[in-house]
Amino acid sequence: MASKIGVYVCHCGMNIAGTVDVPAVIEAAKAMPRVALSKEYKFACSDPGQEMIKQDIKAHGLDAIVVAACSPLMHEKTFRRAVEAAGLNPFLLSIANIREQGSWVTEDPAKATEKAKAIVAGAVFRAARQEPLEMRSVEIHRAALVVGGGIAGIQAALDLADSGIPTTLVERQPSIGGYMAMFDKTFPTLDCSACILTPKMTAVGQHENIKLMAYSEVESVSGFVGNFQVRIRRKAAYVDHTKCNGCGMCMEKCPYKAPSEFDQGLSQRRAIYVPFAQAVPNKPVIDPATCVRFKGKKCKTCIKFCEPGAIDFEQKDSVEEVTVGSIVVATGFQPMDAKKIPQLAYGRHPEVYTALEFERLNNAAGPTQGKILTKDGRVPQSVAILNCTGSRDTNYHEYCSRVCCMYALKYAHLIKEKLHEATVFDFYIDMRCFGKGYEEFYRRLQDEGVRFIRGKAAQVFGGKEYKAIANAAGFIDGLEDHQLVVQAEDSLLGKLIRVPVDMVVLTPAVEARADADEVGRKFLVSRGADGFFLEQHPKLAPVSTTNDGVYIAGACQGPKDIPDSVAQGSAAAGKALGLIARREVEVEGTTASVVDELCSGCKCCLTLCAYNAISFDADRHRSSINEVLCKGCGTCVASCPSSAIKAKHFTDEQIFAEIEGLMSM
Amino acid sequence: MSFEPRIVGILCNWCSYTGADLAGTSRMKYAPNVRVVRVMCSGRMDPTLVLKAFQEGADGVLLAGCHIGDCHYISGNLKTLRRIPLLKRVLVELGIEPERLRLEWVSASEGARYQGVVNEFVEQIRSLGPLDLEARRLPATASAS
Ligand SMILES: Cc1cc2nc3c(=O)[nH]c(=O)nc-3n(C[C@H](O)[C@H](O)[C@H](O)COP(=O)(O)OP(=O)(O)OC[C@H]3O[C@@H](n4cnc5c(N)ncnc54)[C@H](O)[C@@H]3O)c2cc1C
Ligand code: FES
C-alpha cells in the first residue's frame, strides 16, 4: 500500500479556484491518511505543472499521486504520462474530478469546497490501494473497413486505399454513391453532381486496394482496436457478378416493373435492375419482391437473354469474415417522412414534392429528363419552396438540418434558369448560408429575382380545398382547382399571407437513419439526443468515438453538406491510418482475472461474459479469463459469489476505499 | 440545521459519468450531495458496493449506467438491472428503505437528465431523513437486554 501520497489541487485558472476554496482543500488533504505533501497550482496540466509533480516524485519519493482537477476523461492520460516519466507506474495515479463534477455544477462556494474535499479524500483513499499495472501491447491489423458508400465513405475508402491499406467497403444498396448520386447540381458552385461523383465511384470500383462489397451488410463485429473480426453478409443478387458483363439486355427485356427507389417512385424500374446508369458496381440484382419467379411463375426472360449465363436463381446469401485494424462508419442520413406534417399536404396533393423528388424531377437523367413539369405535364408558372420542413421545430427536430437553405437556393436558381417566366417563392425562417461562397450565392439569387418571404409556411391547401373555405379565409382571384395555396405569416410585414402556386417543394429534415440504433450497437458507437452518432469530443475529436479504432464520418454524425462530409471522410481515414501506422497499440491492462484459490468452480460467470472471454477448465474445475478477449467491464466480478474474480484497477478494495474516503468528509 | 443527505453515486464510465461531465461543461447547477465513484460499466455494480456505501454512512445510493441496449459492453447494464430487485429485498431485511437505492439510465448526451435525476433523488432522500444505521441496529441487542 502506498504510504507517501502527493496531492495536487489545480486552480484551472478561475474554473476551479473561482468557486472552490483551494487552500482549504490543500489543508484538508494534508490531514488525510498517508498524504506526504499537498500543493496547489494554477494549471496543473501545463508543462511546469507536470514538471513540479515529476520533481516531487523524485525528491520526496512519493509512491502515489492524486491530481484534483478536471475530469479523468480529459487529462488522466496527461498525468499518467507525467507520473510514468518520473519512474512511477502510471496506474498509481488517481484523479479527483473537482471541476466537471465540482466547481462547475455547484452554486454555493462553501458547498463546492466541501464536495471537493470529499472527492479528494475518495481519490486519496483509493490511490493508497492502487497497484502497478502493465500496459498490454497488441498488434494492429493492416487493413480497414469502411461502412457506407456515400460520398463520406467513398472518400475515406479512397484515402485509405491510396495509402496502400487493403480496404473493404461495405454498401447496403446495389450501388455506392449515397444521396449525392441523386442530385443534378450541387450548391453553391452548381457543379454537376454526377460529373464530380462518378470519377470517384469508378476509382473505388477499380482500385486494387479496395474490396467493394455492395448489396451487403455488416452482420456482427467482434474483437477490439487493431483486431476487429467483421462478418459481412452479401445479399443474394440472383446474378453471378463474376460472369455478368453488364450488357444490360436483361433489364431491357424484363417484363415486370416496380417503382424506382432511386427516382423516388417517379419512374419505374424492372425486377432485374441497376439503380442508375452510372452505378458502381454496374451489375444488376434481381428484386425478389417484384420478380414473378419468386411467386411460383415460370418467367425465363432474363435467363434467355443473358449471353454469359450469369442469372442464378439458386444463389443464396453468403457470409464473409474479414479482419481489420480500424473501422470507419459512414452510414449517412435519411430525410424525414414529410407525411408526418399533414398540414403541408404531402401525399394528399400531387403537386407537393419532397426535395429528393424535386432533385430527380430536375435531373437530366431523371424521369422527365430534367424538365420541370407537373404530374399532368404542365409547365408550372409559380413554385413555392418551403424551408425547415421538420427542422428547427420542437414538434419534430429541434436542430437545424444545415443543408436545406442552401439546396432551396439551388432549386430557386435551377427553376429560374429553366423556366424564365416562373415566379419562385422561398419561405424561410432565417437564411443560413454559413459556408464558403454560400452567402455570395444567396446574394446572387436575390438579384435573380427570387421572392424571399421571411416566415415559415404553416399550411398548404389544395386549390379546390381552399375554395371551400375561401369565404372565411379570403378569396383568391383566378385560383384554379389544381393549384395550391401556401399560407404563412410574413414576419417582416407582420401579416398573414396566402400565395397561390402551381407547385410546392418541401425540404424534409435530415435525420438519423431509422436503423442508426442497431448500427450503433454493432460498432459500439453511442448516439446523441438527436439520434446521430456521437463523436468522442464535439470540438477536439469530431471523428473519433468512445470505441477505440472506430471512427465516424459524414451525415451519420449530424447533418452536413458534401464539403464537410468529404472533409470528415478524409479525417476519419487519416485517423485510421494514424492508428495502423503505429503497428501496435497499448491497451490498458485493466482486465479481470480469476483468483485460483477462491474459485469454487460454480460456473456462474461463464454465461455472463458478452465476449466469451471466460472458459472453464474441467480438469482443474476452475474458470479462467482470456485477457486478450476481456474488455474489463467487471460484470463477472460483480457476480462472482466467491469474490474470486478481480477487476484490475477496479478491485473491491479500491472501490471500498474510495467510498470510505468520500464518506470521511 | 437542516438535514443534508450524503449520497454515493456509482456511475459507468461510458454513458453516465460522461453525461455527468457534460452537465459540468454545460455549467448546469445541481445539488452537491452526490459523491461519485466511477466504474467502467454498470455491470461492475456489485451489491457489496452498495452495502459498503450504506455502511459508511451514505443516506442513499444512486447507480447510473447506459440506457438498455447502449451499454458499451453490450449487456452489462442488463445484468445489473436483474440484480437490483434482489438487492432491494436484502435492504428491506437490513432495515433500509429500498427507495434509498436508485438505478437510473443516463446517456452521455443527457447532462440535463443527470442534473434532474440528482436533484430529484436528493429531495427524495431528504424527505426520507437520515439513514442512521447505528440507531437501526437494535432488535438483536434490544431483546438481549
Ligand atoms: C435534398 C438534398 C439536397 C442536397 N443537396 C446538396 C448540395 O447541393 N450540395 C451539398 O454540398 N450537399 C447537399 N446535400 C447534402 C448531402 O446529401 C450530404 O452531405 C451527403 O449525402 C452526405 O454523405 P454521406 O456519405 O455522409 O451519407 P449518404 O449520402 O446518406 O450515404 C450513406 C451511404 O451508406 C449506405 N448505408 C447506410 N446504412 C448502411 C449500413 N448499415 N450498411 C451499409 N451501408 C449503409 C447508404 O446506402 C448510402 O449509400 C443535400 C441533401 C439533401 C437531402
Ligand atoms: S458501459 Fe455504461 S452500463 Fe455498461
Side-chain angles (χ1 to χ4, degrees):
Chain A
M1 201 184 336
S3 57
K4 291 183 103 178
I5 303 175
V7 178
Y8 298 86
V9 184
C10 177
H11 288 218
C12 193
M14 288 307 279
N15 282 311
I16 292 171
T19 319
V20 170
D21 179 354
V22 174
V25 178
I26 295 294
E27 282 313 308
K30 280 186 183 151
M32 291 174 198
R34 302 180 199 85
V35 171
L37 70 86
S38 165
K39 288 184 173 175
E40 56 188 298
Y41 202 77
K42 276 246 164 307
F43 288 101
C45 62
S46 66
D47 282 346
Q50 296 185 46
E51 200 46 45
M52 171 178 76
I53 299 174
K54 289 186 212 167
Q55 293 303 334
D56 285 351
I57 293 175
K58 290 182 193 149
H60 302 277
L62 302 176
D63 54 6
I65 297 297
V66 169
V67 178
C70 53
S71 169
L73 306 184
M74 195 72 198
H75 271 313
E76 188 172 49
K77 283 212 175 84
T78 314
F79 291 111
R80 275 188 179 168
R81 268 195 305 257
V83 165
E84 193 172 22
L88 213 57
N89 184 285
F91 290 88
L92 298 174
L93 166 83
S94 181
I95 301 277
N97 180 354
I98 60 166
R99 190 179 76 172
E100 280 83 345
Q101 299 186 18
S103 62
W104 277 352
V105 292
T106 316
E107 201 89 62
D108 176 28
K111 288 188 171 151
T113 305
E114 197 188 329
K115 186 175 181 185
K117 287 181 193 168
I119 298 174
V120 170
V124 166
F125 278 54
R126 187 186 210 287
R129 282 162 188 83
Q130 280 174 199
E131 291 162 8
L133 283 183
E134 294 312 315
M135 296 292 271
R136 201 154 39 90
S137 95
V138 293
E139 208 177 306
I140 294 176
H141 211 87
R142 200 169 164 279
L145 170 75
V146 177
V147 187
I151 187 60
I154 289 176
Q155 185 65 39
L158 285 174
D159 283 0
L160 283 159
D162 284 344
S163 314
I165 305 299
T167 303
T168 305
L169 173 60
V170 176
E171 165 60 51
R172 161 185 291 171
Q173 299 295 332
S175 170
I176 55 171
Y179 287 107
M180 189 178 170
M182 296 177 182
F183 308 155
D184 187 58
K185 298 278 191 310
T186 55
F187 64 72
T189 45
L190 301 172
D191 316 37
C192 143
S193 190
C195 313
I196 54 177
L197 179 63
T198 315
K200 281 196 182 274
M201 291 170 53
T202 318
V204 167
Q206 296 173 348
H207 208 297
E208 54 177 7
N209 288 331
I210 296 183
K211 174 170 173 173
L212 173 57
M213 296 185 68
Y215 214 39
S216 302
E217 266 179 69
V218 170
E219 202 163 68
S220 65
V221 183
S222 60
F224 48 87
V225 55
N227 291 273
F228 294 105
Q229 280 82 43
V230 187
R231 282 170 62 86
I232 304 164
R233 175 175 294 269
R234 198 193 279 268
K235 286 175 268 189
Y238 306 106
V239 178
D240 182 344
H241 286 179
T242 57
K243 289 190 190 155
C244 169
N245 59 17
C247 72
M249 278 304 277
C250 52
M251 298 185 274
E252 219 169 279
K253 301 294 180 186
C254 173
Y256 297 96
K257 292 180 183 173
S260 152
E261 294 83 359
F262 190 78
D263 273 343
Q264 302 294 302
L266 296 174
S267 75
Q268 303 267 306
R269 58 147 173 91
R270 306 300 166 107
I272 182 165
Y273 72 107
V274 292
F276 54 104
Q278 300 86 353
V280 171
N282 207 323
K283 306 270 171 90
V285 299
I286 294 175
D287 155 25
T290 310
C291 173
V292 294
R293 276 184 73 104
F294 293 87
K295 297 176 187 125
K297 300 232 175 80
K298 289 219 173 59
C299 176
K300 277 193 181 158
T301 319
C302 53
I303 303 178
K304 212 159 63 201
F305 285 95
C306 182
E307 225 168 90
I311 310 291
D312 174 9
F313 281 99
E314 299 307 310
Q315 204 175 60
K316 298 265 176 308
D317 287 11
S318 58
V319 176
E320 270 179 56
E321 191 167 304
V322 296
T323 302
V324 296
S326 61
I327 298 176
V328 175
V329 178
T331 48
F333 69 100
Q334 69 181 27
M336 190 183 107
D337 176 6
K339 287 193 184 127
K340 286 189 181 154
I341 314 184
Q343 59 272 31
L344 297 184
Y346 178 73
R348 271 205 331 261
H349 196 291
E351 291 315 314
V352 180
Y353 294 82
T354 65
L356 281 179
E357 287 171 346
F358 187 79
E359 290 286 354
R360 296 312 300 154
L361 197 61
N362 180 58
N363 195 299
T368 56
Q369 290 78 46
K371 289 195 205 71
I372 303 173
L373 295 174
T374 61
K375 295 231 169 67
D376 53 12
R378 285 171 300 112
V379 175
Q381 298 304 305
S382 51
V383 182
I385 306 167
L386 315 188
N387 292 17
C388 299
T389 309
S391 304
R392 305 182 66 196
D393 182 335
T394 46
N395 295 317
Y396 304 97
H397 296 297
E398 225 174 300
Y399 56 79
C400 162
S401 288
R402 293 193 69 182
V403 289
C404 325
C405 285
M406 287 308 298
Y407 73 65
L409 292 175
K410 169 176 86 174
Y411 295 169
H413 171 83
L414 295 172
I415 298 167
K416 278 281 176 193
E417 189 179 62
K418 288 188 177 168
L419 316 171
H420 305 288
E421 302 305 315
T423 318
V424 180
F425 299 93
D426 187 2
F427 291 81
Y428 69 99
I429 311 179
D430 297 293
M431 246 330 150
R432 295 196 160 164
C433 310
F434 57 92
K436 192 167 175 173
Y438 290 11
E439 184 66 23
E440 294 88 326
F441 189 61
Y442 179 29
R443 284 252 155 229
R444 173 173 162 193
L445 267 288
Q446 286 173 325
D447 293 341
E448 285 179 15
V450 174
R451 308 266 293 270
F452 290 98
I453 298 174
R454 185 165 175 276
K456 185 169 177 174
Q459 190 142 17
V460 175
F461 301 96
K464 211 167 166 183
E465 192 187 353
Y466 186 81
K467 282 183 192 164
I469 59 155
N471 247 341
F475 289 94
I476 296 177
D477 279 344
L479 177 68
E480 297 196 43
D481 285 358
H482 59 74
Q483 284 189 299
L484 296 148
V485 177
V486 179
Q487 175 172 302
E489 192 198 319
D490 184 325
S491 61
L492 292 179
L493 297 178
K495 219 172 83 180
L496 192 72
I497 56 167
R498 298 188 185 87
V499 183
V501 290
D502 292 333
M503 185 182 268
V504 166
V505 182
L506 306 178
T507 58
V510 170
E511 63 182 19
R513 284 192 188 255
D515 64 349
D517 191 30
E518 194 189 318
V519 173
R521 275 177 212 176
K522 255 177 219 164
F523 297 97
L524 293 181
V525 174
S526 341
R527 297 188 308 142
D530 52 13
F532 292 100
F533 293 143
L534 199 61
E535 61 285 354
Q536 193 176 21
H537 190 284
K539 299 176 195 97
L540 304 179
V543 297
S544 304
T545 69
T546 50
N547 194 7
D548 276 351
V550 177
Y551 305 97
I552 48 177
C556 63
Q557 181 263 352
K560 53 182 64 63
D561 55 15
I562 296 165
D564 286 0
S565 300
V566 171
Q568 278 204 338
S570 282
K575 294 296 276 183
L577 271 172
L579 183 70
I580 290 170
R582 275 156 56 188
R583 304 229 174 122
E584 272 183 1
V585 269
E586 298 251 285
V587 290
E588 291 184 11
T590 50
T591 49
S593 62
V594 177
V595 183
D596 228 35
E597 308 83 76
L598 295 178
C599 177
S600 67
C602 71
K603 298 190 190 173
C604 285
C605 51
L606 291 183
T607 55
L608 290 173
C609 182
Y611 305 102
N612 293 323
I614 314 183
S615 56
F616 191 72
D617 183 337
D619 294 339
R620 291 173 44 251
H621 207 65
R622 298 272 189 280
S623 287
S624 70
I625 294 176
N626 177 338
E627 294 206 26
V628 174
L629 296 178
C630 173
K631 301 222 182 197
C633 66
T635 302
C636 56
V637 182
S639 310
C640 176
S642 317
S643 296
I645 312 182
K646 188 172 148 179
K648 292 182 197 148
H649 207 55
F650 290 91
T651 63
D652 284 350
E653 294 71 30
Q654 288 161 358
I655 301 176
F656 284 173
E658 187 171 358
I659 294 174
E660 280 167 29
L662 289 171
M663 290 288 111
S664 70
M665 289 278 135
Chain B
M1 214 182 92
S2 77
F3 163 56
E4 276 304 328
R6 286 158 27 109
I7 295 170
V8 169
I10 308 182
L11 313 187
C12 90
N13 180 65
W14 301 99
C15 290
S16 306
Y17 195 87
T18 313
D21 273 0
L22 178 65
T25 31
S26 319
R27 310 295 198 277
M28 293 169 175
K29 308 291 183 226
Y30 57 82
N33 312 52
V34 178
R35 292 154 187 199
V36 168
V37 174
R38 178 173 66 110
V39 293
M40 292 316 280
C41 174
S42 68
R44 175 71 184 87
M45 295 171 190
D46 194 327
T48 56
L49 303 181
V50 174
L51 298 176
K52 174 73 177 175
F54 285 125
Q55 189 188 20
E56 290 300 320
D59 300 300
V61 177
L62 172 66
L63 307 178
C66 311
H67 286 272
I68 293 300
D70 285 348
C71 171
H72 189 72
Y73 305 99
I74 305 170
S75 55
N77 49 5
L78 279 175
K79 281 138 199 172
T80 292
L81 180 65
R82 278 188 291 182
R83 275 181 214 135
I84 298 301
L86 180 60
L87 178 54
K88 289 206 169 189
R89 278 167 57 188
V90 173
L91 291 183
V92 175
E93 294 294 315
L94 293 170
I96 300 174
E97 297 89 342
E99 302 80 52
R100 291 186 187 272
L101 170 65
R102 197 194 267 206
L103 174 64
E104 289 281 353
W105 310 131
V106 177
S107 84
S109 58
E110 292 178 330
R113 185 172 148 73
Y114 183 71
Q115 175 193 40
V117 163
V118 168
N119 282 338
E120 202 188 297
F121 190 49
V122 169
E123 283 323 304
Q124 186 184 353
I125 298 298
R126 200 188 297 284
S127 65
L128 278 172
L131 172 60
D132 201 1
L133 262 190
E134 274 311 309
R136 294 177 190 223
R137 206 202 284 277
L138 283 181
T141 30
S143 61
S145 65

